[in-house]
Amino acid sequence: RELEDGQPRFRPTNVGPQSFKKNPIDMRIGNTDLRRELGPLVVVLPSARISASSQLGKAVGDQTAHSVVVNRGKRSLAVDLKAPDGIEIARQLAAECNVMIQNYRVGKLIKFGLDYDSVVETNSKVIYVGVTGFGQKGPRRDQPATDSVMQAYTGMMSINRDINGLPQRINMLAIDFASGLYAFQAAAAALYGQAMRGKGKLIETSLLESAMVFQEAAIMESYLQGGDVEPIGMPVGSFKTKNGFISINARRDTQFKSFCTLIGKEEWIDDPRFVGPRQRVANGDFLLSQIRPIIETKTSEEWNKLISEADILNAKVQTHIDLFEDAQVQAVNAIRWVENDTLGRIPMATVPGQPISETGDRLTHSPHIGEHNEEVLTELGYSRLKIKNLKKKGVVGTFTAGL
């Protein structure tokens, strides 16, 4: 949290489970999601007494769905960056880390000695990743940005409109998480270079740049189509059924012919208006107007069975709740149920290439703010008396309800 004077207060630092002395350290200042499952120690400095991710959605204490996802598998150290002793702790971490990731506004960390030029003086091999909203340069460099701001600014909402043409936000933090994954990808590649050549690297990116890469194909299509939003093919879309909705994609010639036979419209197969993909797109409104009443005559399950048997792309539109009982999700262990000490029993997704989440595993625990203050400070060489004094002065803190 940035106070009215522009100064950050307690920054919870989430640190991975191993020892500082025996393992590489990755320091994260902000809310960028550095994949904790890959084993490194992760040090995070988000906000004061209550982190940004613990203010997203329904909260129980200092935890929400988002805070659990981005912080699980880490330890938490909360320090006050307005206090000289707090800055010193952060600088110690920066001097030892392999990777430092921060997502403050441009230039914000200079006064703390945590900008790249300052950190590299004491840690020449550091991989320093700076993630901003609009980038390090340009007329908007000093403006704040969030996922919702960037979905609007980068055109994502323009290609996601409701039936009345109103631009809509995708109801998840798509750009935030994409930016975190792109930052991790760059940091992981740089880590390999660090291990092989002993060199660090400065990596600077932004929500803006990540959104561009994330939407690259859509942006290119917009250019080629003169700004018009054109369907990828026809018939393609969501259709109302007797008991819900189903997504159907019968745009390929062979699938279109099979679909025509399935719904009793064989005459469309040789109709010049629908003979090829471009012709079907040009006459898409007519196709959809004829198909929708037909699809409403059966349930989603009935259509799913019939359309699948015809080898046509389709899926029942499910809710997230539906997924918990889905046989395919269960078969591949895509979601596992684990116990969280605050939120209770929660569904946790399995990260590709990583062990399946289990209750009690270190990767399933999401720390409370400041949960590991003493543990981490001890590993940094602080005595019990020093830690006690830091607590007394308010340099280190823990979550306090109501603040």
Side-chain angles (χ1 to χ4, degrees):
R1 181 177 60 184
E2 293 183 4
L3 303 184
E4 291 181 0
D5 60 2
Q7 298 289 333
R9 295 296 271 176
F10 281 108
R11 293 318 214 200
T13 300
N14 295 335
V15 186
Q18 295 99 359
S19 166
F20 275 100
K21 306 304 179 183
K22 298 179 182 179
N23 296 278
I25 304 167
D26 292 298
M27 179 177 180
R28 179 166 70 87
I29 300 182
N31 285 318
T32 306
D33 182 21
L34 179 64
R35 299 316 301 186
R36 64 273 159 192
E37 290 88 350
L38 298 189
L41 239 153
V42 183
V43 179
V44 192
L45 296 163
S47 65
R49 299 187 190 276
I50 184 166
S51 67
S53 58
S54 65
Q55 295 175 300
L56 294 172
K58 181 181 179 180
V60 178
D62 61 342
Q63 293 196 341
T64 66
H66 284 88
S67 69
V68 167
V69 169
V70 301
N71 290 326
R72 75 187 198 220
K74 303 171 185 174
R75 294 182 294 176
S76 179
L77 167 66
V79 298
D80 184 355
L81 291 185
K82 285 193 71 174
D85 287 337
I87 295 174
E88 179 57 31
I89 293 171
R91 287 175 178 170
Q92 280 186 256
L93 294 171
E96 297 183 30
C97 70
N98 290 96
V99 180
M100 175 172 168
I101 300 182
Q102 59 90 359
N103 67 340
Y104 278 67
R105 296 189 194 184
V106 177
K108 189 74 172 180
L109 293 180
I110 294 177
K111 59 187 173 185
F112 302 114
L114 293 171
D115 58 299
Y116 174 73
D117 289 337
S118 299
V119 172
V120 78
E121 288 182 4
T122 57
N123 188 350
S124 61
K125 296 181 181 180
V126 69
I127 296 165
Y128 189 103
V129 184
V131 184
T132 56
F134 284 95
Q136 298 286 337
K137 303 176 183 178
R140 297 183 183 272
R141 66 190 291 271
D142 295 321
Q143 293 185 10
T146 60
D147 186 274
S148 58
V149 168
M150 208 51 66
Q151 284 197 34
Y153 189 84
T154 63
M156 182 175 284
M157 290 186 184
S158 74
I159 59 173
N160 182 40
R161 299 174 183 265
D162 66 15
I163 193 169
N164 298 314
L166 182 67
Q168 299 289 305
R169 172 184 171 273
I170 297 174
N171 197 27
M172 63 166 287
L173 304 181
I175 294 178
D176 271 2
F177 277 89
S179 298
L181 290 172
Y182 285 129
F184 168 72
Q185 174 181 278
L191 267 174
Y192 179 78
Q194 185 188 72
M196 298 300 293
R197 297 185 295 276
K199 295 182 178 180
K201 188 173 184 179
L202 171 62
I203 300 169
E204 294 178 331
T205 188
S206 63
L207 298 185
L208 172 61
E209 293 162 271
S210 296
M212 296 293 96
V213 179
F214 191 52
Q215 299 181 86
E216 185 177 9
I219 291 170
M220 195 176 297
E221 275 190 337
S222 293
Y223 168 73
L224 295 175
Q225 295 167 4
D228 294 331
V229 179
E230 184 177 293
I232 60 172
M234 276 292 167
V236 175
S238 298
F239 299 84
K240 189 176 186 303
T241 65
K242 186 180 287 187
N243 67 340
F245 297 90
I246 190 169
S247 175
I248 301 173
N249 184 336
R251 65 183 178 84
R252 296 174 182 172
D253 290 338
T254 54
Q255 293 178 332
F256 178 70
K257 292 176 182 178
S258 298
F259 186 66
C260 291
T261 300
L262 178 65
I263 64 174
K265 292 290 184 178
E266 292 89 345
E267 66 272 18
W268 286 355
I269 295 175
D270 297 318
D271 191 316
R273 296 175 297 172
F274 315 127
V275 70
R278 301 306 304 170
Q279 289 83 359
R280 290 195 289 275
V281 168
N283 294 282
D285 289 342
F286 174 80
L287 278 175
L288 296 179
S289 69
Q290 299 298 302
I291 294 170
R292 292 193 187 282
I294 297 173
I295 301 302
E296 287 189 39
T297 62
K298 299 182 186 297
T299 66
S300 298
E301 292 76 14
E302 290 172 328
W303 279 121
N304 176 243
K305 184 175 185 297
L306 292 170
I307 297 173
S308 295
E309 288 174 349
D311 199 24
I312 300 167
L313 297 169
N314 78 99
K316 173 188 173 182
V317 177
Q318 302 195 110
T319 67
H320 291 157
I321 304 302
D322 292 334
L323 297 177
F324 302 152
E325 303 298 328
D326 186 86
Q328 185 60 39
V329 171
Q330 294 176 352
V332 297
N333 286 309
I335 288 178
R336 299 284 288 189
W337 290 90
V338 301
E339 291 294 332
N340 177 274
D341 63 353
T342 299
L343 302 180
R345 186 170 180 263
I346 57 173
M348 193 167 283
T350 301
V351 178
Q354 298 302 313
I356 296 172
S357 298
E358 301 286 355
T359 297
D361 187 280
R362 66 179 180 83
L363 296 181
T364 67
H365 177 67
S366 181
H368 299 284
I369 294 172
E371 180 178 336
H372 303 97
N373 286 345
E374 291 189 27
E375 185 177 314
V376 175
L377 289 173
T378 298
E379 292 172 355
L380 282 175
Y382 286 78
S383 67
R384 289 185 178 180
L385 179 59
K386 179 66 173 176
I387 295 173
K388 183 178 180 180
N389 288 334
L390 289 173
K391 288 181 178 179
K392 187 176 181 180
K393 291 190 296 183
V395 175
V396 297
T398 55
F399 169 74
T400 302
L403 294 182

